[in-house]
Amino acid sequence: MLLPYFNNTNLNECGTDEAGRGCLAGPVTAAAVILPKGFRNELLNDSKQTKLQTRNLLRSIIEKDCTSFGVSHVFMEKIDEINILNASILGMHRAIDQLKCDPDYILVDGNKFKPYASIAHSCIIKGDGKYLSIAAASILAKTYRDAYMEKIHEEFPMYNWKQNKGYPTAEHRAAILKYGSTKYHRQSFKLLPEEQLKLEI
């Protein structure tokens, strides 16, 4: 069972997480969520552990019942400019910017973060499977990013982003080898492994 609070006090805690960090195409998407005291939901878990239908249901519940939330896409050009780690942190900061009220404390999924204003934070490895607010942020980040990838799939259906969501599947790599990269691909990433590059030559 996920824990409702990191600090068992009256602090206004915000959870933040990202989705799409390991993708070859599309943005990295971050979310921040403040849940009300006493919030519980047995379905809520790390987005990677929940099925599509459950994630979509949870998105509606979170948006309806949370105290506040924010979601931010950081796009390919920025990822290529500042690298994926900094882009992920930037996305989290931008998501926190959107909250209607300032949190007293920030819970971050993972082990890297940069201070946000003067608000204290803790980095928690696999935090999306430990704390409700981070799990809620992971659900929003995942569902918003998936929706974006399904939208741009219509523009470039040969990459099948509606299915692979931009991750480096064999199918996605094969499409890059055949059709080349697009404006949605992260040019700073290794889009093709060495053995495919040799085949291309």
Side-chain angles (χ1 to χ4, degrees):
M1 180 179 291
L2 303 188
L3 298 173
Y5 314 115
F6 179 74
N7 289 298
N8 205 7
T9 68
N10 289 321
L11 290 180
N12 211 17
E13 290 183 352
C14 153
T16 186
D17 196 5
E18 51 74 24
R21 186 166 167 174
C23 294
L24 301 180
V28 61
T29 303
V33 179
I34 298 175
L35 295 173
K37 299 298 179 184
F39 179 90
R40 297 288 190 281
N41 188 293
E42 293 301 320
L43 295 175
L44 183 54
N45 200 350
D46 167 12
S47 64
K48 297 183 289 296
Q49 304 300 320
T50 56
K51 295 181 179 179
L52 173 62
Q53 186 176 3
T54 303
R55 287 198 301 269
N56 289 333
L57 173 63
L58 284 168
R59 171 176 164 172
S60 297
I61 292 170
I62 293 163
E63 290 181 347
K64 175 177 173 288
D65 293 344
C66 74
T67 301
S68 186
F69 76 92
V71 179
S72 173
H73 296 303
V74 178
F75 290 99
M76 299 65 63
E77 300 83 3
K78 197 67 178 178
I79 294 171
D80 290 336
E81 178 188 342
I82 65 175
N83 78 42
I84 188 59
L85 173 60
N86 286 322
S88 298
I89 295 171
L90 175 62
M92 292 180 189
H93 281 213
R94 287 177 174 175
I96 297 169
D97 285 343
Q98 296 174 27
L99 297 174
K100 293 185 296 186
C101 53
D102 290 335
D104 301 311
Y105 204 88
I106 300 169
L107 303 183
V108 182
D109 183 61
N111 62 356
K112 299 285 186 183
F113 194 64
K114 295 177 182 177
Y116 179 88
S118 57
I119 301 171
H121 70 271
S122 288
C123 292
I124 302 165
I125 296 173
K126 297 185 179 178
D128 46 5
K130 297 176 182 177
Y131 293 97
L132 285 170
S133 62
I134 303 179
S138 80
I139 293 290
L140 293 192
K142 172 68 174 165
T143 53
Y144 273 79
R145 187 181 187 279
D146 283 359
Y148 180 86
M149 296 306 296
E150 288 162 12
K151 179 180 176 182
I152 64 172
H153 166 86
E154 302 302 323
E155 192 175 348
F156 293 99
M158 67 282 284
Y159 299 95
N160 200 19
W161 290 330
K162 69 178 180 181
Q163 182 67 37
N164 62 55
K165 303 301 188 291
Y167 281 93
T169 62
E171 175 192 43
H172 189 186
R173 299 269 201 187
I176 295 170
L177 182 62
K178 183 175 182 179
Y179 301 107
S181 63
T182 70
K183 61 185 179 181
Y184 296 110
H185 282 98
R186 304 171 184 178
Q187 300 303 322
S188 58
F189 278 46
K190 192 173 184 179
L191 299 178
L192 293 172
E194 290 296 328
E195 56 269 22
Q196 282 189 309
L197 287 172
K198 290 173 184 174
L199 286 173
E200 190 176 20
I201 295 168

